[in-house]
Amino acid sequence: MSLMVWDNTLALGVQTMDGEHKELLALMNKIHDGFLAGAVVNDTVARLGAACARHFADEEAFMQSIAYPELNVHKLLHRQLLEKYAHHAGAIKAGGGKANEAFFSFLKLWLVSHIKGIDAKYAAHSRGAAR
């Protein structure tokens, strides 16, 4: 059973970023599947953390390329998300590699609110910049 399923409400219309968001969601679902099976998920949690860091760097480069005026605020949000992620990953590791509901609540809130709220702003800006 998936943690979340990609749907068009998460699509930004920025192909590269949508593709990366789908990859992040797939890793989140893999961790969730492992959790449901009682598996140790440390490796997948580490993979997701690295994928998030790469994605945030790609996203920030994209925002810079379109002269997005809220880039610095967005960078700060990314840094805060990575810090929270590291906290959760540390708790999972300390717990023997077992994920927990708090981690999944964080992931769902992050994915939905960040993409639909924060990322949607740079997507709208990119459409305006392309005109």
Side-chain angles (χ1 to χ4, degrees), residues 51-69:
C52 288
R54 279 190 310 275
H55 167 65
F56 289 164
D58 290 347
E59 203 170 60
E60 290 166 9
F62 175 75
M63 288 185 278
Q64 187 169 359
S65 77
I66 61 168
Y68 183 58

Side-chain angles (χ1 to χ4, degrees), residues 3-131:
L3 176 67
M4 287 184 63
V5 176
W6 179 268
D7 64 42
N8 286 335
T9 67
L10 295 170
L12 298 173
V14 178
Q15 187 175 10
T16 303
M17 296 304 113
D18 285 341
E20 289 183 12
H21 287 152
K22 288 176 186 177
E23 290 173 26
L24 296 177
L25 181 58
L27 284 168
M28 290 176 187
N29 284 331
K30 185 172 183 174
I31 294 167
H32 191 253
D33 290 346
F35 165 72
L36 293 176
V40 172
V41 295
N42 285 332
D43 289 343
T44 312
V45 168
R47 284 179 51 209
L48 177 57
C52 288
R54 279 190 310 275
H55 167 65
F56 289 164
D58 290 347
E59 203 170 60
E60 290 166 9
F62 175 75
M63 288 185 278
Q64 187 169 359
S65 77
I66 61 168
Y68 183 58
E70 295 180 40
L71 172 61
N72 288 333
V73 172
H74 206 113
K75 281 183 175 182
L76 176 63
L77 292 171
H78 283 165
R79 193 166 41 251
Q80 290 170 343
L81 283 168
L82 288 175
E83 288 170 5
K84 288 177 185 176
Y85 188 88
H87 173 78
H88 283 284
I92 290 168
K93 189 172 184 176
K98 302 294 182 180
N100 53 55
E101 290 296 338
F103 178 64
F104 296 115
S105 293
F106 163 72
L107 291 179
K108 285 195 283 192
L109 178 66
W110 162 56
L111 192 71
V112 173
S113 66
H114 192 79
I115 292 175
K116 288 184 177 182
I118 307 301
D119 289 354
K121 292 179 183 179
Y122 78 70
H125 179 81
S126 74
R127 288 187 290 278
R131 290 182 200 169

